[in-house]
């Protein structure tokens, strides 16, 4: 997206946010908020010993599965911290109160939620798991002095110079070369693009397709899918397959993305899939029933297949808590919450967003070994976690790790 377009988007979002914030009182009944359980008798805490941490993400609608998984990672870290007695900053012990709000995957709702979190809960950090939401919050987070815990691999969120944004997953543009090379070599050079219609999907498409063509490939079809409105993909998939593509580029939240792949197979598609990093192979398998439907897919490595030493214990604890397999969205947000707490310790403050942001690298350096479910090399000057890219393909019905050179 050009800078001019980004500026216009920011202005438009800014206008919507403040009009929504002005009437937030009347909207609150329509916003899904999960307040923490009341403490048992004898366990009361003073308000001064509690740090409120915010979250705005999709907790209803077609992306709810994705939103819940990102929230679960933060919640798991918070529960661990609180159950261990909290954490100490300048001789005072603090526990965390996590305040999640539903934004239905809509940037304007994310902005209104953030205003509410700041005004009502004074949250120094707000997590959000979509680029549209991050960009909405970036309109005013430096003014209102809160850190955005940005769970998005969109490079633009840390390229704009926002001093209080921390990008949690690695940038997605690193996937273009290995994904394209694998798909072309195994299946061919004709690609049809059927990504999510979100801003993130548009940006991914505008990065992948030019790279595909530069590498000698041909784009034979392109049409975005609005997963918030569409549940039957027969027509769009049929139109794409009429162009006889070798590869389909699909992506968005895992559940609807899996349904697109399943529809393509039912219509006779025999080629491969390039899967946007938002969708996870293991979560898609839960929808398709097996990896057979996803044969030939190239995407991010499922967390449970990682070789990090901290993975076995994390997976065991996650299964016990949520009765489900953890994905990378849970893992990355889990580790980010722990890093933020370590940064608060290093900064000597639980509410000075600027100081906490300045000590993010210290937070990473002090992260306990048993919390390192990902290999994060450092925090870049732009605020992005620089983690190793982990990709995998589905071959003969199994997950196969692919090294990134």
């Amino acid at each position: 997206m050009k800078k001019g377009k980004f500026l216009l988007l920011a202005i438009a979002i800014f206008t919507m946010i403040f009009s929504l914030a002005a009437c937030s009182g009347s909207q609150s009944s329509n916003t899904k908020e999960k307040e923490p359980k009341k403490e048992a008798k004898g366990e009361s805490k003073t308000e001064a010993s509690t740090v409120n941490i915010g979250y705005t993400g999709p907790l209803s609608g077609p992306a709810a599965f994705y939103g819940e998984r990102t929230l679960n990672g933060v919640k798991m870290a918070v529960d661990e911290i609180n159950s261990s007695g909290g954490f100490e900053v300048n001789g005072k012990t603090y526990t965390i109160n996590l305040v999640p709000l539903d934004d239905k995957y809509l940037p304007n709702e994310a902005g209104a939620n953030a205003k509410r979190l700041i005004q009502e809960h004074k949250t120094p950090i707000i997590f959000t798991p979509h680029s549209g939401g991050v960009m909405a919050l970036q309109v005013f987070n430096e003014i209102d002095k809160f850190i955005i815990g940005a769970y998005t691999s969109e490079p633009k969120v840390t390229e704009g110079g926002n001093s209080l944004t921390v990008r949690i997953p690695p940038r997605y543009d690193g996937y273009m070369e290995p994904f394209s090379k694998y798909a072309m070599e195994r299946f061919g050079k004709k690609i049809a693009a059927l990504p999510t219609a979100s801003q993130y999907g548009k940006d991914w498409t505008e990065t992948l397709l030019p790279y595909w063509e530069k590498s000698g490939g041909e784009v034979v079809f392109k049409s975005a899918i609005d997963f918030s409105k569409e549940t039957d993909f027969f027509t769009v998939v049929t139109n794409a397959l009429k162009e006889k593509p070798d590869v389909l580029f699909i992506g968005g939240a895992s559940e609807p993305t899996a349904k697109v792949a399943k529809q393509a197979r039912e219509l006779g598609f025999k080629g491969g899939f390039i899967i946007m990093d938002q969708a996870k192979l293991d979560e898609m398998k839960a929808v398709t029933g097996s990896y057979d439907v996803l044969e030939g897919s190239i995407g991010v490595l499922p967390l449970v297949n990682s070789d990090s030493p901290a993975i076995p214990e994390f997976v065991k604890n996650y299964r016990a808590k949520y009765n489900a397999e953890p994905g990378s969205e849970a893992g990355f947000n889990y580790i980010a919450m722990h890093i933020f707490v370590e940064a608060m310790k290093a900064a000597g403050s639980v509410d000075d967003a600027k100081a906490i942001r300045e000590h993010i690298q210290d937070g990473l350096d002090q992260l306990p070994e048993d919390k390192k479910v990902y290999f994060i090399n450092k925090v870049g000057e732009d605020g992005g976690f620089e983690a190793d890219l982990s990709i995998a393909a589905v071959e003969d019905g199994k997950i196969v790790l692919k090294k990134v050179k």
Side-chain angles (χ1 to χ4, degrees):
M1 180 183 289
K2 303 294 184 183
K3 289 184 178 179
K5 290 183 180 179
F6 181 84
L7 179 59
L8 289 173
L9 174 64
I11 292 171
I13 290 173
F14 184 83
T15 302
M16 286 189 290
I17 287 166
F18 280 92
S19 63
L20 284 165
C23 58
S24 61
S26 62
Q27 280 188 321
S28 61
S29 62
N30 296 322
T31 306
K32 181 179 178 181
E33 178 174 356
K34 297 184 177 180
E35 297 288 0
K37 294 180 180 179
K38 293 183 179 179
E39 294 169 330
K41 292 182 179 179
E43 295 181 348
S44 62
K45 300 281 185 181
T46 63
E47 184 176 350
S49 66
T50 301
V51 181
N52 292 326
I53 299 296
Y55 173 94
T56 175
L59 300 176
S60 64
F65 182 88
Y66 168 69
E68 289 284 359
R69 282 356 181 231
T70 59
L71 179 59
N72 284 351
V74 182
K75 286 169 62 177
M76 188 167 170
V78 167
D79 289 346
E80 286 182 358
I81 292 162
N82 289 345
S83 65
S84 67
F87 62 101
E88 189 173 300
V89 175
N90 287 340
K92 188 171 184 177
T93 300
Y94 294 87
T95 56
I96 298 172
N97 173 33
L98 181 60
V99 187
L101 299 177
D102 181 18
D103 64 25
K104 307 174 183 66
Y105 210 47
L106 300 172
N108 60 319
E109 291 281 353
N113 284 350
K115 280 292 182 182
R116 180 180 172 190
L117 288 166
I118 290 298
Q119 293 167 1
E120 298 181 14
H121 303 282
K122 297 178 173 57
T123 51
I125 300 167
I126 298 176
F127 287 83
T128 188
H130 52 107
S131 61
V134 173
M135 292 177 186
L137 271 57
Q138 285 181 326
V139 172
F140 57 88
N141 75 303
E142 291 175 304
I143 298 171
D144 287 351
K145 297 181 174 57
F146 67 90
I147 294 171
I148 302 171
Y151 184 68
T152 173
S153 58
E154 170 56 65
K156 292 183 180 69
V157 302
T158 44
E159 288 178 340
N162 188 286
S163 63
L164 294 177
T165 295
V166 175
R167 191 192 71 248
I168 297 170
R171 296 165 56 117
Y172 69 67
D173 48 6
Y175 296 113
M176 302 302 133
E177 190 275 336
F179 280 15
S180 297
K181 182 178 180 182
Y182 178 87
M184 279 189 181
E185 290 181 352
R186 184 170 177 186
F187 295 101
K189 296 187 175 182
K190 294 195 297 182
I191 192 170
L194 298 172
T196 174
S198 70
Q199 185 60 52
Y200 184 66
K202 294 174 184 176
D203 291 342
W204 237 95
T205 304
E206 290 175 4
T207 304
L208 174 65
L209 298 189
Y211 185 89
W212 182 270
E213 291 177 322
K214 183 180 177 180
S215 302
E218 178 186 0
V219 178
V220 297
F221 185 85
K222 182 174 73 171
S223 180
I225 302 175
D226 188 344
F227 290 133
S228 67
K229 298 178 181 178
E230 299 177 51
T231 57
D232 183 358
F233 314 115
F234 177 85
T235 300
V236 67
V237 174
T238 297
N239 290 337
L241 297 186
K242 285 179 181 178
E243 305 304 321
K244 303 188 183 307
D246 302 308
V247 178
L248 289 184
F249 165 52
I250 59 176
S254 296
E255 185 175 9
T257 301
K259 291 178 179 179
V260 173
K262 188 175 181 180
Q263 181 78 81
R265 292 299 191 213
E266 290 171 351
L267 290 170
F269 180 61
K270 304 296 185 184
F273 296 105
I274 288 180
I275 300 176
M276 191 184 303
D277 61 333
Q278 183 181 354
K280 308 301 185 296
L281 290 167
D282 51 340
E283 293 174 358
M284 292 174 68
K285 177 192 172 188
V287 177
T288 61
S290 74
Y291 278 128
D292 294 338
V293 174
L294 303 175
E295 181 67 28
S297 295
I298 185 76
V300 296
L301 178 73
L303 179 68
V304 294
N305 297 100
S306 170
D307 58 0
S308 167
I311 287 295
E313 187 69 15
F314 175 78
V315 172
K316 182 183 77 171
N317 293 339
Y318 190 95
R319 286 170 175 165
K321 190 174 183 65
Y322 298 112
N323 192 31
E325 296 292 303
S328 55
E329 60 280 330
F332 267 119
N333 284 279
Y334 169 85
I335 198 171
M337 185 67 250
H338 279 292
I339 290 172
F340 280 130
V341 166
E342 295 299 327
M344 288 178 179
K345 294 179 185 178
S349 175
V350 298
D351 55 15
D352 187 336
K354 181 180 178 183
I356 296 167
R357 169 64 183 83
E358 289 174 349
H359 286 81
I360 290 294
Q361 182 63 53
D362 295 323
L364 175 61
D365 293 341
Q366 297 302 316
L367 187 68
E369 290 296 319
D370 64 345
K371 309 304 179 189
K372 295 180 179 179
V373 295
Y374 278 101
F375 298 109
I376 300 175
N377 303 313
K378 67 175 182 176
V379 181
E381 292 184 4
D382 63 356
F385 288 177
E386 297 185 4
D388 295 337
L389 290 181
S390 299
I391 70 172
V394 178
E395 297 178 352
D396 298 323
K398 298 179 181 178
I399 292 291
V400 178
L401 174 66
K402 296 295 178 180
K403 297 292 184 182
V404 179
K405 297 180 180 178

